[in-house]
Amino acid sequence: MIKMEMSQTDGRMEGWLYTIRHNRFGLQFSRKRYFVLLDDNLKSFRSVPSDQNEEPYRRASLDCCIRVTDNGRESFNRKILFIFTLYNTTNHLDQLKLGASSPEEAAKWIRSLQDASQKKFPFPDCEFVSHAEKGLVKFNVSRRSRRKNSVDWTNYSSLNVETIAPDVIAPSPWKIFGCQNGLRLFKEAKDWDSRGRHWDDHPAIMAVGVIDGTSEDIFNTLMSFGPLRSEWDFSFYKGSVVEHLDGHTDIINVQLYSDWLPWGMNRRDLLLRRYWRREEDGTYVILCHSVYHKECPPKKGYVRACVKSGGYVVTPVNKAKQSLVKHMVAIDWRSWNLYTGASSSRSITIRVVERLAALREMFKAKQGHGFTEFVSGEFMDTKSCVSNINTRPLKIAAKRVDLELVKAEDMEKPSSARNSLMDLNDASDEFFDVPEPSEFDSFIDNSLFSQGHSQLKIPSPAGIVKKLQDLAINKKGYMDLQEVGMDEKTTFFYGATLQKDPNLTLPCSWATADPSTFLIRGDNYLQDQQKVKAKDTMMQMIGADWISSDKREDDLGGRLGGVVQEFAAKGGPEFFFIVNMQAPGSAMYSLALYYMLKTPLEDHPLLHSFVNGDDAYRNSRFKLIPHISKGSWIVKQSVGKKACLVGQALVLRYTRGKNYLELDIDVGSSTVARGVTNLVLGYLNNLVIEMAFLIQANTVEELPELLLGTCRLNYLDATKSVKER
């Protein structure tokens, strides 16, 4: 793949990107454009501008209503692109989809666009609008108050960029047991049990080593099923992508050679759900586990092994010149003879993770030879598990509706001081592209189909959204091996559908977590960047809901018959803070956590500012710290232990009621978060999940931070979620 040149100097970001659009037949196409980002202005050119005063082909202005989402990897014209989308939170049809030629380029553009959109507050005279129980209620915010509650963009650099150290105090789940081929070998610490057994039947084993290569090059190598894989992966015979779920998740089938397996052992294959993401520090995480897929049953002559968990973590070290690579596998090989014991299966697993040594030696041997240019493309280009899957992307694409046409014909462009993101798209772009330096002009020109054909009938935007939601939630073509159904409908009391268990013994229950488990900003954080153990919480957790439905369940606090409205009817001084996390799965799951403040809201200035602030201010301050205290390492790795500004990553809907503020978090609004959620749901009844919530402190007056509340969720069960009527 040819890498696009990109530069970033003095707040100016520029380079070649690809605009991704749908044509009138619903098929995606890409067009290469040169983009320049200067301050809050994004400009598009058909060629590299000759000087700074050259008039752009298209332009748009960015403001705090613009969000950027990471859509992962997609294939266009045999090129793998890393996709991200800019969209307007006030009009989700106003969006621009772009692609970069590498994950590092995409990450730099995403960060620069986020910074640019959040440096400008475009509507200083607008009123704050909140969704209350009986419709839209407007709060007139004074200029003085608005300046106080709006985002302090001068401190924006401190909002997202913190040390990479975890924000949770927890012991390591790994114990070293050996060293081989220059790799340290570990196994999960839980395998040392009280009965004296040092190993379970299918232990999780990890190999750790340092490789002379960038994290991006190693990531591309690990994701590839191309010819280069045969130079380091001795177990690999061939692989294919069975189904592309989204830019961060796919279903893959891997067939293994048998000559490295013990004598008499039949060939093995794997059917895996593969998920990946890039962290802020340049670390790449690849996670896999076995699934069932109706289109890819076990093949004749192969025994399908079961990967309980597996993957890689690639972290840049030594100024990104080298990478610390961890390779982890827990697998049931489905033993082939009765006389073979667990030690034989374990030795096979150990040999699998030793592939890391071969990868290290390959990078060392090919260093400086430009071999990474050949690391490409099994993605969407390899043969699928069965032949009829090859036609599926085309069939689905043919049914898609050109949202750009909907925007032009059925929607009025948003009236604001800035240009719409739609202005960076143009119908004529479909027929003009910048040729690649090494490409032949042999593609089929879409203009052949632009005339002489009747146009498709365009449904309403509401119908499109409904159909897309149905497809996303209900039409999943695979099933996690742990996935189960749901109970029938029942009646319930909002705020009390999940039982409380302070003794931490009952499954599917909640309790409060120990605040000292979490690290928060101390008094001198702005000087020493040090975090300290939390000592207490501002609020008391009083209840939780665990609900499943066929749609999003918003504003639980405003529903009659719930704990919040019960207190409101009494006219007491109590104030409630509700965190409602909405996760798509086989149904739409809602996990709502209820916190109560007994003292007046005015006694807590930072919380008061948050409750009465605008959405931009809230999105820049609300922070969650996750922690999987018990569970599989693959889930621990996917969730992490680092604080996250939720509003910068996911779509939040705030509902301000008389005595409460509810945060409805749409986990499905991010492909990265959706991938993590799907993984967590598969292991849910084996997990103990702890979380802490707080409002980030950015000034000396606001420090030290104080946790709003904590929670501990014990072995939640999807079958015990309450069905919403």
Side-chain angles (χ1 to χ4, degrees), residues 451-463:
Q451 297 179 352
H453 292 267
S454 60
Q455 297 209 359
L456 297 174
K457 182 180 180 181
I458 307 300
S460 67

Side-chain angles (χ1 to χ4, degrees), residues 164 243 249 267 281 301 330-331 397 491 520 545 614 682:
I164 305 302
E243 183 177 357
T249 313
R267 292 178 294 179
D281 63 341
I331 183 169
T491 58
I520 57 177
D545 282 327
D614 52 55

Side-chain angles (χ1 to χ4, degrees), residues 514-676:
D514 182 2
S516 64
T517 303
F518 304 95
L519 297 176
I520 57 177
R521 296 180 175 186
D523 291 282
N524 301 316
Y525 179 81
L526 297 181
Q527 288 74 41
D528 57 20
Q529 304 294 302
Q530 295 298 311
K531 294 189 175 183
V532 298
K533 289 183 180 181
K535 296 180 180 179
D536 202 354
T537 62
M538 183 187 305
M539 297 181 171
Q540 174 189 357
M541 185 173 180
I542 62 165
D545 282 327
W546 179 225
I547 300 171
S548 59
S549 177
D550 57 358
K551 65 182 187 304
R552 285 185 54 172
E553 297 295 339
D554 293 332
D555 192 14
L556 299 181
R559 302 190 181 188
L560 298 177
V563 61
V564 176
Q565 293 304 311
E566 186 179 74
F567 275 86
K570 297 177 181 178
E574 296 86 0
F575 185 84
F576 293 87
F577 191 91
I578 307 165
V579 180
N580 181 12
M581 289 174 280
Q582 302 163 330
S586 55
M588 180 65 75
Y589 294 97
S590 292
L591 175 65
L593 310 173
Y594 295 75
Y595 297 91
M596 183 174 67
L597 181 68
K598 294 183 178 180
T599 55
L601 185 61
E602 293 75 14
D603 293 349
H604 307 275
L606 186 57
L607 178 60
H608 183 271
S609 298
F610 183 87
V611 170
N612 296 300
D614 52 55
D615 287 359
Y617 175 80
R618 292 165 172 169
N619 289 336
S620 71
R621 293 298 189 101
F622 179 65
K623 193 156 62 175
L624 177 152
I625 307 176
H627 174 42
I628 305 296
S629 57
K630 292 184 180 180
S632 171
W633 67 265
I634 189 174
V635 182
K636 293 180 180 180
Q637 185 65 59
S638 66
V639 173
K641 295 182 287 187
K642 190 76 183 106
C644 171
L645 285 168
V646 181
Q648 304 297 331
L650 301 173
V651 173
L652 270 69
R653 178 184 173 92
Y654 300 91
T655 305
R656 175 71 160 96
K658 176 183 178 181
N659 65 331
Y660 71 94
L661 176 68
E662 179 172 330
L663 287 67
D664 297 317
I665 304 174
D666 183 6
V667 178
S669 61
S670 162
T671 56
V672 177
R674 189 163 58 244
V676 173

Side-chain angles (χ1 to χ4, degrees), residues 132-149:
E133 181 181 358
K134 295 184 179 180
L136 293 176
V137 179
K138 294 186 178 180
F139 296 90
N140 291 318
V141 183
S142 67
R143 291 181 181 271
R144 180 179 179 182
S145 175
R146 187 182 299 116
R147 287 194 296 269
K148 176 181 178 182
N149 294 338

Side-chain angles (χ1 to χ4, degrees), residues 422-494:
M422 293 184 288
D423 293 339
L424 285 169
N425 284 322
D426 184 71
S428 63
D429 285 349
E430 182 177 345
F431 311 117
F432 178 84
D433 193 16
V434 178
E436 297 288 356
S438 63
E439 284 185 349
F440 294 101
D441 297 327
S442 59
F443 57 88
I444 300 176
D445 193 338
N446 286 329
S447 62
L448 294 175
F449 305 99
S450 62
Q451 297 179 352
H453 292 267
S454 60
Q455 297 209 359
L456 297 174
K457 182 180 180 181
I458 307 300
S460 67
I464 296 171
V465 173
K466 180 64 170 63
K467 290 182 179 179
L468 291 176
Q469 288 177 341
D470 291 343
L471 285 172
I473 296 174
N474 300 320
K475 303 301 181 183
K476 187 171 65 172
Y478 72 97
M479 180 182 294
D480 289 319
L481 299 184
Q482 303 92 342
E483 196 169 76
V484 290
M486 296 186 301
D487 277 348
E488 296 297 323
K489 298 179 181 180
T490 56
T491 58
F492 53 91
F493 178 74
Y494 289 104

